Structures are given as C-alpha cells and as structure tokens.
Amino acid sequence: MKKIFTSIFRPAVLLALGLALTFGCQQINPLEGVELTVNNNVYKSPILIEFVDANPNSKTLPKDLTVTISGLGKDLVFTDLGGKDFKVAGNLLSVVLGQNANPTESAPVEFTVSVKGPNYVSTNYSVVVTDLESSTYKVPLTNLTALPDGVGAVSKTTLLALGETITVPATSSKPEVAKIAIAPGTQVKDENGLVINATNVSSTIVQYGTGTEEAANSLPNEGEGNVIKYKDGTTDFGTFLSAGFLDIEMTAGGKNVKSFSAPLDVTLSLNPNYEDPETEAPMNVGDQIPVWSYDKAKDEWTEEGVATIAKDANGNLIANFKVSHLSVWTVAKNYKGKTCGSKTIKIKVRSDVRYASSTFKAQITYSKSGKPKFSKSFSSFKVSNGSPYIIKVKRVPSGYTGRIVVTPVGSAPNTTTRGGTQTFKACNNAVVSIDIKVKEAPEPTTTDTESDAVKVNLDFTAACISKNISVKPTVWLKLVDDTNAEQLVNVVAGKAVIGMKKGVKYTLTATYNGIDFSGEVTINGNSATIVSSTGLNGSFPIDATTGEVNATIIYPLNNCQ
C-alpha cells in the first residue's frame, strides 16, 4: 500500500554530490554573483521510502541500513543522479524511474526493495508504480532490541549432538507459542548443501502473531506474494492472510545454515480469534491450512504442504509442520487469483485547520461481511483543510470494503479529533472525503494547538557558485519537531507550503542521492534563521501584514554536473 502526495517534487538532475557543507556556517550570500536560474526535471515517478521501527513506541529510527533493488522493473529504477548505487540516508531511500518508464494501472512498474541492518530483521518490500506522481512508502522493520506488540524472539545456542526444543513463549500481546525441535545428531548444511563442521548451532527465531497490526504488517511485502509457486507446478501472485509466521536464522562454524540432515519439527499455536478467511468460520481440529516458505533473495513463496489443525495438552489449537530449510515460514490461506489488482483511493480533507503540523494518523481498515480483517496506518497524516491525498492499494482480496479513520498520534498536545470516511468497495477506484474537527483542550493555551500553526511559504534554491547558476530544486524535505512529530514535505521546483508552530524547534532534513543535508530552526518573534550543521542556510521572516512566513532556504553547491 502506498501513500502519495499529489504535489510531490522530483529530484533536479543538476544537484551534485559535492555539496559545500562549509557554506552553512559562513555568513555569506551563496546567491551573490549568480546570473542564471534553471529548473530541470529529467526522471519520472520520484519515490521516497521511509524505513521505520515497527514498534510505534520506539524513540529511535533504523540506521546503517543497506538495500538492494530486484524484481521485473529493477532496470527502470535509479538513484536521484541516475545511478545504481542505492544508499539509505539515515532511514530514507530516494529513487526515481528512468525516462523510458511509462507506468499505468494496467502496466505498472514493479520492483522489490530488500533491506537489512544491525539489530533489525531483514525484509523485502514490493513497490508498485502506476503513474508519474511522486509517492512515499513506509516500511516497518522489526527491532530485535525493542520488539513491537505481537512479536516474540529467542536467541539460543544448541549442541547438535544433544539437540533441543527451542520455545518462543507467549506474551501479553502474543498468545501464540512457537516450538522448534532440533533432533539429536542433526547435521547442518550451508547454501551449497555441504555439511558444516560444527558442534553447535546458534539460532535467532522471530515469531509474528496475528493479533496486532504491527505483527500482521511485518510479513514480507505486507503479505503480498509477487511470485508464488504451487505444488501443482503453477506460478501466480496473490495475497496471504497468515495464521502466524516464523523468521528463522541460524549460524554454525562461522557460516549461515541453510538446510539440515533431518528436518526441524515446528509446532505453531494459533491465535484463538483467527478465522478461515474464506469461510469466516473459526478454525477447528482436523481443518487443514497450507504451509509456505519464502526465499528473501528471490522474493518467491513456495507451497510446501499442509498442516492439520490439532490441540495441545492445554486445549490450544496448533499447526504442526516440518522445516527442511531456513527462510520465512508461515501457515496461511492464500487468495490465488482472487485479488482485484492495484486500486486508487483519493482522499479530500475537510477540517477547521488551515495549516496543521503532523500530529495525526490515518488508518485504513479492510473488512468482509462487516468484520475487520486487516489494516494499515499512516502516521504523518496532515489535517489541513483541502489537503489532497492519494493511496494506492495493492492486490486487495475481492469482496472487501474499506474505511479510513483519522485520530491524534499518541497524546497530541491540546488537541482532540476524530474523523472518518464512509465505507467504500476495496476493488473500486474510490474518491472519499474525511471531515475532521480539531478542538482545543479545556486549559487555555497560546502556542500548542494545531490551529496555531502558521503558513510557511518555502522557497528553495541550490546555488552553483562555480558556474553562476542557481537551480530551483525538486527535493524531499523532512521536518521533525521537538516532540518527534514528523512531516514529509514536497518541494516542487523550489516551492512548497507547510505549517509550522512558533516557539517550536524543527530539524529540517533535505534528502538527495543517499545524503542528508539538515539544519535547525525555531520561529520566534518576527523572524528565524537556520542553524546549519550540514549544508542548509536561510531565513524565516514573518510578513507583518499577512502573518505568513516567507522562508528562503539555500543549498550552496561547489560543483554542478
């Protein structure tokens, strides 16, 4: 699922890597002597991928991430400068489509982003581009040091001669239990099928339940199978509604384990609220549910067999199956050929706020026969009146309905709101409206309500000193305030309009070609100046007549290509 802002910018090809960071600290005018201003947009469908912690309570962002691009459309995907060396700046990845790309709903450009990083579970995310609009995606990553609700993890070292049953216990947010049995004397093998000479094996096992949104949306590609290989020899795509899944990684003798001399025995308990997604009936003893494995490197699902539902000694429903090789494993129903492709939802916001900052979230929930089945949240939903949004929904199962609800993120200071759309058919290209009312808290306040945010007119310029050229750039800009509330701002040909609050410190970060350029600003009195640490400078004077802020932000460039 993707969230698109209809006014998002495209990266300017003339921006170069050689950004002169020292200008941000010098009291000079980078535009002095510049004679020519140009605006050059070459590439198509700019895409910003934001990697976030799957735990919404986490105070940190993923970092030191590495990515690769694969899939059918990989040859059409480039960096902002037209290269193939994809880099993550902090937690942001910015890419574009090449000049030869012409994506449509009937002929989309599809590619897969594979991401990994220290203390995070590696995963894949599928991007489906159906138009030339700019778009943003949020990809949740499982932090092994701060697990989200509905997820459990265990790390163990096992003597192979003795074997062991490793248990991932239930938690308050995850009633499911997983047991993985390694038989005594099991030999472990590498990716070439060769036995690894080792006496013990180290395991990291992550179990995802089905009772929370954080866990359900952590399935690779959010449960969408781009390539699914069935036991009957056919290949298709589809959507998985999982009854729970495991991500198993093992090492031995300094090598990654891929397979075993004897398969592992896995017992996975089911969430008591899980229903058969096709019949909508609770699962019962004797029912069968397919077992699937996922190859992250190939982005392929394979049908491995079926598990017959039984009961354990405590009366809990369980699924037993064997694991012959390591990957992601799930027991899940799959909607083979029963999806309705990529659909567009256009959202119109009607509210009592003119220029709001990002302290609200939108959640889209899909239901069948009136029962909610799965949902997806967007944590940076802006509630300004007239704000346009487009959401692209990938391969929603047929027969579902959707509804979008807006609520404050956490305890947004001095604001209460709730707004929602009417239900709409998931397989239609829908146009929906959200009516939102933002009210002040009982205590009087002068600065912290959403309606106190002032209009800021941004004017971006990239100054190339050596060639007397200034570029009106198209870049991604992220604003983070002192409460960690975040805005992703769309700067198109050097222009954008945002909402900022007086007296609040914001960190501004422009992301281009895998590099972040940032500075801090607080609007006080009649003006403010960027305190730059990595390449931004500018001013934020307030117009005495309109009360609006006319901000000038400058990139001083050493070099232009």
Side-chain angles (χ1 to χ4, degrees), residues 41 45 63 72 92 132 138 145 153 204-205 279 293 324 518:
N41 290 314
S45 305
K63 62 180 181 179
L72 294 176
L92 300 176
L132 300 180
K138 281 199 177 196
T145 63
T204 297
I205 300 169
T279 66
S293 68
S324 58
S518 64

Side-chain angles (χ1 to χ4, degrees), residues 283-289 306-311 317-318:
M283 299 294 289
N284 293 305
V285 173
D287 290 347
Q288 291 189 328
I289 187 168
V306 295
T308 301
I309 304 302
K311 279 189 178 182
L317 293 178
I318 57 173

Side-chain angles (χ1 to χ4, degrees), residues 424-536:
F424 51 88
K425 293 183 178 180
C427 284
N428 290 353
N429 290 324
V431 178
V432 297
S433 296
I434 296 180
D435 292 298
I436 300 170
K437 180 68 175 177
V438 179
K439 299 178 181 179
E440 295 186 11
E443 293 93 3
T445 180
T446 58
T447 60
D448 280 339
T449 64
E450 286 297 310
S451 57
D452 284 330
V454 297
K455 180 182 180 181
V456 179
N457 303 301
L458 291 178
D459 187 343
F460 264 70
T461 302
C464 180
I465 310 303
S466 62
K467 295 186 178 181
N468 291 337
I469 293 174
S470 68
V471 178
K472 303 307 291 184
T474 299
V475 292
W476 298 99
L477 180 69
K478 180 168 71 173
L479 281 79
V480 180
D481 67 18
D482 50 13
T483 68
N484 244 7
E486 177 185 300
Q487 297 185 57
L488 286 174
V489 181
N490 318 313
V491 181
V492 182
K495 301 291 185 180
V497 176
I498 61 173
M500 295 176 68
K501 297 178 184 179
K502 292 183 179 179
V504 175
K505 183 177 74 174
Y506 290 87
T507 299
L508 283 67
T509 303
T511 298
Y512 185 76
N513 199 52
I515 301 177
D516 281 344
F517 308 106
S518 64
E520 295 179 352
V521 62
T522 303
I523 302 175
N524 287 313
N526 295 320
S527 186
T529 301
I530 292 179
V531 180
S532 180
S533 57
T534 54
L536 295 182

